[in-house]
Amino acid sequence: MLKQNHHHNHQPLITMEITVISAKGLKASSSIPFSQRLRPFITLTTVSPTSPYTPSNDGKHCHVYKTRVDDQGGVNPTWGDKFHVPIDSTFFTNRYSSIYLQLYTKRLVLGQTQLGWCQIPAHDIGFPPAGSVRHLSYRLRARDGSRTNGILNLAIRFEGLENQGLTNSISPTLDTCQTVIGIPVTAFSTYS
């Protein structure tokens, strides 16, 4: 029997089912010639106290999930890809926990180019009842952090929530972290 314990604290695991539904209003960046069509895909990872999203991380706690490439949707791609992401209850008790999503386009010659990103804090996700689905829409940001017209739509559902008391305190050692978070989209009527 092989058991690996990478955490000092034995927190119960919860499965967060993240469905990357679609994006709309994408624009090619200036680094992509107009002759090349968009071939977008999304990568996502969770950022939490036990899995800091830093280059110095040993990689044991940071797993990147990736959607398929949408070759047909252009500036309004759809994926519908589901990911089952294990998290522990500290994800909800630390104010720096979030889901970090990046939008790329795949290019034939030079690999991939980032078109945008968003970061969804755990407190925006909330803690819905097991089995219920929460739909979220976020405005994408450009590489420099400025807002774009692109919007990413996703759905989140939790599995394995058997009254796990979320009473852990927020770690005071993480106050040095500063993040720019996504902007929830409240209305889609801004387009003409």
Side-chain angles (χ1 to χ4, degrees):
M1 186 164 131
L2 201 61
K3 230 179 185 181
Q4 292 182 342
N5 289 322
H6 298 295
H7 309 299
H8 334 304
N9 52 359
H10 299 287
Q11 296 296 331
L13 280 182
I14 299 164
T15 300
M16 183 165 45
E17 181 187 85
I18 302 172
T19 305
V20 180
I21 300 170
S22 64
K24 66 182 192 178
L26 304 183
K27 286 187 179 169
S29 72
S30 57
S31 63
I32 301 173
F34 285 104
S35 60
Q36 292 188 347
R37 69 172 192 254
L38 288 181
R39 302 179 65 221
F41 66 95
I42 298 282
T43 64
L44 72 88
T45 189
T46 55
V47 183
S48 70
T50 57
S51 60
Y53 189 71
T54 59
S56 62
N57 186 22
D58 61 10
K60 289 178 185 169
H61 303 301
C62 182
H63 188 80
V64 177
Y65 301 83
K66 182 176 159 183
T67 67
R68 61 195 162 76
V69 173
D70 181 349
D71 280 319
Q72 308 299 321
V75 296
N76 298 304
T78 57
W79 298 281
D81 293 3
K82 288 183 198 274
F83 303 98
H84 294 269
V85 181
I87 55 171
D88 62 42
S89 58
T90 59
F91 182 82
F92 298 100
T93 58
N94 187 287
R95 63 181 167 165
Y96 300 113
S97 295
S98 60
I99 301 171
Y100 183 62
L101 299 108
Q102 297 183 80
L103 170 71
Y104 293 96
T105 185
K106 190 172 180 119
R107 301 196 296 182
L108 296 174
V109 181
L110 299 172
Q112 62 193 38
T113 299
Q114 186 185 47
L115 297 180
W117 60 274
C118 67
Q119 193 162 340
I120 303 173
H123 62 78
D124 279 12
I125 299 165
F127 204 64
S132 68
V133 177
R134 176 152 293 164
H135 291 272
L136 298 169
S137 294
Y138 272 75
R139 188 171 299 282
L140 292 164
R141 291 185 176 273
R143 269 189 264 190
D144 64 1
S146 62
R147 292 174 67 171
T148 71
N149 287 327
I151 292 173
L152 180 63
N153 301 301
L154 60 149
I156 296 178
R157 187 171 73 86
F158 291 101
E159 302 166 352
L161 299 175
E162 289 87 23
N163 288 339
Q164 302 178 17
L166 301 177
T167 57
N168 296 325
S169 61
I170 292 175
S171 170
T173 59
L174 292 171
D175 286 339
T176 57
C177 180
Q178 294 292 323
T179 56
V180 178
I181 59 175
I183 308 293
V185 176
T186 55
F188 296 104
S189 59
T190 56
Y191 297 102
S192 52

